[in-house]
Amino acid sequence: MPRAEAEAGTLGAEEPLSPLARQRMQEHTPKENPSMNYVAEKAEGRAAFGKQVKVLLTPLSMEEEKRNKRLPQKRLLEKFYSNEGPSEREPKVKKSCDDPTTQQIRNVSDKASSSPQGVIPSMSSLHNKRSLVSPRNTSVTVDHDSENNWDTDSEGSNSDVSYLDGSSQLSAYERKRLKNITENANFFASLKLLESAARLRKMATKGQSHGIKRVKPKKTEAETVRRRSMRLQRVDPSGVPLPEIPAQPEPVIDEYPQLPPGPLPMVPANQSKSSELTDMFLDTWTKISQINPNDTEKHICNLERYKASLSRMILSEDAVTKVVKNRIYSVAIHPSESRTLVAAGDKSGQIGLWDLNSKSEDGVYVFVPHSQPVSCMYFSPLNPVHLLSLSHDGTVRCGDVTRAIFEEVYRSEENSFSSFDFLADNASALVVGQWDGDVAIVDRRTPGTSSELTANINSKTTRTVHVHPVNRQYFIAAGAVNVCIFDTRYLKPNGNKPISFLSGHTKSVASAYFSPITGNRVVTTCADDTLRVYDTSSLSSTIPVLTAVRHNNNTGRWLTRFRAIWDPKQEDCFVVGSMARPRQIEIFQDTGEQLHSFYNVDYLGSVCSINAVHPTKNILAGGNSSGRLHVFKD
């Protein structure tokens, strides 16, 4: 009775709506999925009419309607689990986290939507939550999942809520559908996708390590101590430690040991040579040096005869041998016509002489008059018993076979020398080029080893110097890029100007030489892969290029640079090494035409950078970078 009186006191004042008000409310009420805000607004609207309704909490039975309608998937699962009991549920139902007022509003809305008359309570009854819904009358609570599915189900609100009001038997179709849903849910649960996703998220959110982590070495077990002998422990048999031996400094080996100044004895460095053989060799050198001055006159033959003589020159096996230890920097041929004697200077300062007509062993005799590369070497034109050599060590020496010594002609402690040439036919005066660009005039008749004059010719470096064969006061100097002709009569220590300038070079020039008979041509070898010929018959201020020949002069680091030289027997032909294969030595005419190539596949397999030609005979000697000479002769 108290409960009935409370209900009567709370709801007794509410009266049914008039037919007109009910019709208007049904027109404005949405047929499905009403929101909570819309219910609240309509409740307030009903209050404006002054009419109130009574809410029936007793659930209506609609068994036939429930059997004929399809249940949504999630609602069907909830019903199935509610029939089986809470212990058999696999997916857990989310608990409602709404406040009681919101939950009661939802319950009332569900009841109103499921009521066939469409009766909706007023807002005044909703605010009195304790008297509106009691724990006894409240039989259903809708969770968040049910709320979301309410908005998305396509069957209407009556069918969604009807199965919650009572438990009925499922049809065969619903049981089969429920079975498929359950199997699918179990399958996806067995895949453990949620755990994998959580693990991946954890790995992704894990902080990235910057840089390379130092790997800590694993602790190894203590190694077994090995026994050491008393010698290694540096103790004597009684156990007394031996005194420490002071460490000896390693000796510094100089690549170019300096030789003492003054004359050096002409003693072969290859000690296998006996003194008797050496004496016989020096005697032979002296005999072949007795030359008639008339024999040194140069005769020019026509081009056809010259080409025929070149074709007769061959390389045989006994004309190839190793003369010096290292790379060859200079080659000279003795002017004798009765015997072939070739000299070669190498990188370490050795001079090797090879007598090709010797019958004893190999006929090679090696001397060491210098400590650095021998870059230039000539036999004296009128007195071939003298062999003059120049080295980077700043010395010019003359090997006198009659006295068996290498006497010192010119010496400089400050400068390094590059090349020299004879200012006179008797080789009494020399012009010496230096790597710093200066040139020196040396008179051998003057006592001492100093120069007469050192002149600055305004060049960064001087690689080669060569004297005009007719007008011997002129000499040509090849430097970094510039090639100039100077007059020795006007040289002074500073402020020297050339009388002629040979233009056209774009890179460093390795050599420049006058033609051997008239001096009317000059051939230059440049690092821009070009051989150039100039007409110097008239020495003007600027001499243009007469002929330019494309030629590979890129010898690299390990080969001596090419130096094109004139054939002493021919005014218009010059000889130069080649990088072409098969390895060869080339002869060009001053017009740029290649006349002949010396090659032999069997015995010439290297680049002959430095070459020399006999002044009267058909003999050509080429030196490579391993100290080996190749001699072509007819």
Side-chain angles (χ1 to χ4, degrees):
M1 286 299 294
R3 180 178 178 182
E5 291 177 357
E7 291 181 359
T10 306
L11 301 176
E14 297 179 358
E15 298 178 2
L17 296 175
S18 64
L20 180 61
R22 186 180 297 108
Q23 182 180 358
R24 289 182 180 178
M25 186 172 294
Q26 289 178 358
E27 292 176 356
H28 292 83
T29 301
K31 296 182 180 180
E32 59 184 45
N33 297 337
S35 62
M36 296 303 299
N37 295 333
Y38 186 82
V39 173
E41 292 175 359
K42 288 301 178 180
E44 294 177 357
R46 288 194 303 272
F49 284 106
K51 303 290 184 178
Q52 292 182 353
V53 297
K54 182 177 180 180
V55 178
L56 301 178
L57 299 180
T58 304
L60 300 177
S61 176
M62 301 173 65
E63 299 295 338
E64 296 296 332
E65 185 179 1
K66 287 189 295 181
R67 291 191 185 97
N68 297 330
K69 287 191 178 182
R70 245 179 98 184
L71 297 179
Q73 176 175 335
K74 193 157 188 176
R75 301 282 177 90
L76 186 61
L77 283 174
E78 291 177 356
K79 180 180 177 182
F80 173 74
Y81 290 138
S82 64
N83 293 336
E84 291 184 350
S87 60
E88 299 180 1
R89 296 183 185 179
E90 290 186 4
K92 296 181 180 180
V93 180
K94 297 182 181 179
K95 295 182 179 180
S96 176
C97 60
D98 296 338
D99 57 337
T101 305
T102 305
Q103 187 64 43
Q104 292 167 7
I105 293 174
R106 288 179 180 172
N107 296 338
V108 174
S109 300
D110 292 341
K111 294 296 181 178
S113 61
S114 60
S115 176
Q117 291 83 4
V119 181
I120 300 176
S122 65
M123 286 302 297
S124 59
S125 63
L126 294 176
H127 287 294
N128 196 349
K129 58 182 181 179
R130 297 188 180 274
S131 59
L132 176 63
V133 180
S134 63
R136 266 181 216 178
N137 294 335
T138 304
S139 60
V140 179
T141 58
V142 183
D143 60 0
H144 291 298
D145 294 336
S146 301
E147 179 183 356
N148 294 336
N149 287 329
W150 186 18
D151 296 335
T152 57
D153 289 339
S154 60
E155 296 295 335
S157 59
N158 292 337
S159 61
D160 294 343
V161 186
S162 60
Y163 76 93
L164 297 175
D165 297 333
S167 58
S168 63
Q169 189 67 25
L170 297 177
S171 64
Y173 170 78
E174 291 173 344
R175 287 195 301 271
K176 183 176 181 180
R177 183 167 174 262
L178 181 60
K179 179 181 178 181
N180 293 339
I181 294 173
T182 306
E183 290 177 354
N184 293 339
N186 294 335
F187 172 74
F188 281 104
S190 65
L191 296 180
K192 299 182 179 180
L193 298 179
L194 295 178
E195 291 81 351
S196 301
R199 191 162 53 250
L200 291 176
R201 282 195 298 270
K202 185 177 180 181
M203 293 172 60
T205 56
K206 189 177 181 180
Q208 298 290 337
S209 59
H210 300 282
I212 301 175
K213 292 185 177 180
R214 180 181 177 184
V215 180
K216 295 182 179 180
K218 296 181 179 180
K219 294 183 179 180
T220 58
E221 297 181 359
E223 297 182 359
T224 305
V225 179
R226 297 181 180 180
R227 296 181 59 186
R228 298 178 63 193
S229 64
M230 302 183 72
R231 178 181 61 84
L232 295 178
Q233 296 179 18
R234 301 194 59 80
V235 295
D236 58 10
S238 61
V240 179
L242 297 175
E244 293 291 336
I245 301 176
Q248 297 292 335
E250 295 183 0
V252 179
I253 301 175
D254 190 1
E255 184 179 3
Y256 303 109
Q258 290 293 332
L259 297 177
L264 298 175
M266 192 175 286
V267 177
N270 45 349
Q271 298 298 329
S272 61
K273 303 291 183 182
S274 63
S275 60
E276 294 181 359
L277 292 176
T278 304
D279 294 339
M280 289 176 59
F281 168 71
L282 297 179
D283 292 340
T284 302
W285 185 355
T286 304
K287 290 178 182 180
I288 65 176
S289 299
Q290 298 174 2
I291 299 176
N292 188 356
N294 295 328
D295 296 338
T296 59
E297 294 181 3
K298 300 171 183 178
H299 304 281
I300 301 176
C301 61
N302 60 40
L303 188 60
E304 294 301 326
R305 290 179 58 188
Y306 179 69
K307 291 172 68 176
S309 65
L310 295 177
S311 61
R312 293 194 300 267
M313 298 172 62
I314 61 174
L315 177 66
S316 58
E317 183 179 3
D318 57 354
V320 180
T321 190
K322 188 174 180 65
V323 178
V324 288
K325 181 180 179 181
N326 298 308
R327 185 199 309 182
I328 293 178
Y329 274 71
S330 57
V331 177
I333 299 179
H334 194 279
S336 172
E337 294 185 356
S338 61
R339 207 173 184 94
T340 304
L341 179 63
V342 184
D346 77 342
K347 180 180 179 180
S348 61
Q350 294 183 353
I351 293 179
L353 289 104
W354 180 24
D355 184 5
L356 275 75
N357 304 106
S358 176
K359 296 180 181 179
S360 60
E361 298 182 2
D362 54 1
V364 176
Y365 300 85
V366 181
F367 306 94
V368 190
H370 300 282
S371 60
Q372 292 187 26
V374 182
S375 57
C376 190
M377 185 167 50
Y378 294 109
F379 286 95
S380 175
L382 298 180
N383 191 13
V385 295
H386 293 166
L387 175 64
L388 284 89
S389 59
L390 174 144
S391 175
H392 294 181
D393 60 3
T395 59
V396 177
R397 293 183 180 271
C398 175
D400 189 352
V401 69
T402 59
R403 296 187 295 166
I405 61 171
F406 287 97
E407 80 174 322
E408 202 168 62
V409 175
Y410 176 43
R411 184 181 186 89
S412 175
E413 299 292 343
E414 296 83 13
N415 300 316
S416 179
F417 302 154
S418 59
S419 64
F420 78 96
D421 198 11
F422 304 114
L423 286 173
D425 291 336
N426 58 2
S428 59
L430 311 174
V431 55
V432 179
Q434 301 177 2
W435 285 109
D436 62 355
D438 296 346
V439 295
I441 305 299
V442 179
D443 192 344
R444 295 175 60 192
R445 297 164 295 187
T446 302
T449 59
S450 61
S451 62
E452 303 297 323
L453 173 67
T454 300
N456 182 3
I457 58 174
N458 301 317
S459 177
K460 292 182 179 179
T461 184
T462 301
R463 298 182 183 276
T464 61
V465 291
H466 193 247
V467 177
H468 196 282
V470 178
N471 303 314
R472 305 195 72 89
Q473 70 273 15
Y474 299 131
F475 73 92
I476 185 170
V481 179
N482 54 322
V483 178
C484 302
I485 299 176
F486 295 88
D487 191 341
T488 57
R489 297 172 297 181
Y490 301 103
L491 284 180
K492 50 188 177 181
N494 293 296
N496 295 288
K497 294 183 179 180
I499 61 174
S500 296
F501 176 75
L502 280 64
S503 61
H505 302 93
T506 58
K507 291 186 179 180
S508 63
V509 182
S511 63
Y513 297 106
F514 284 107
S515 57
I517 299 173
T518 63
N520 292 336
R521 296 287 187 270
V522 169
V523 61
T524 63
T525 307
C526 186
D528 58 4
D529 291 343
T530 306
L531 304 175
R532 294 178 175 85
V533 179
Y534 295 83
D535 183 5
T536 56
S537 55
S538 61
L539 300 179
S540 58
S541 59
T542 302
I543 301 175
V545 179
L546 179 65
T547 304
V549 181
R550 294 296 299 173
H551 188 268
N552 184 7
N553 298 328
N554 186 15
T555 55
R557 177 181 179 184
W558 307 110
L559 300 179
T560 307
R561 295 185 65 176
F562 291 155
R563 295 201 290 261
I565 61 169
W566 296 96
D567 187 342
K569 303 181 295 296
Q570 200 70 17
E571 171 70 13
D572 56 351
C573 298
F574 57 89
V575 182
V576 66
S578 175
M579 297 292 293
R581 291 182 182 273
R583 297 308 187 189
Q584 55 191 279
I585 301 173
E586 300 171 339
I587 292 186
F588 291 89
Q589 196 177 7
D590 59 359
T591 59
E593 178 186 358
Q594 183 176 346
L595 299 180
H596 188 72
S597 294
F598 295 98
Y599 66 92
N600 190 306
V601 179
D602 297 328
Y603 306 120
L604 179 59
S606 56
V607 177
C608 293
S609 301
I610 304 300
N611 303 282
V613 183
H614 195 280
T616 57
K617 296 181 65 177
N618 294 326
I619 298 175
L620 169 65
N624 65 9
S625 293
S626 63
R628 195 174 300 273
L629 282 177
H630 305 77
V631 180
F632 290 84
K633 57 183 180 178
D634 54 6

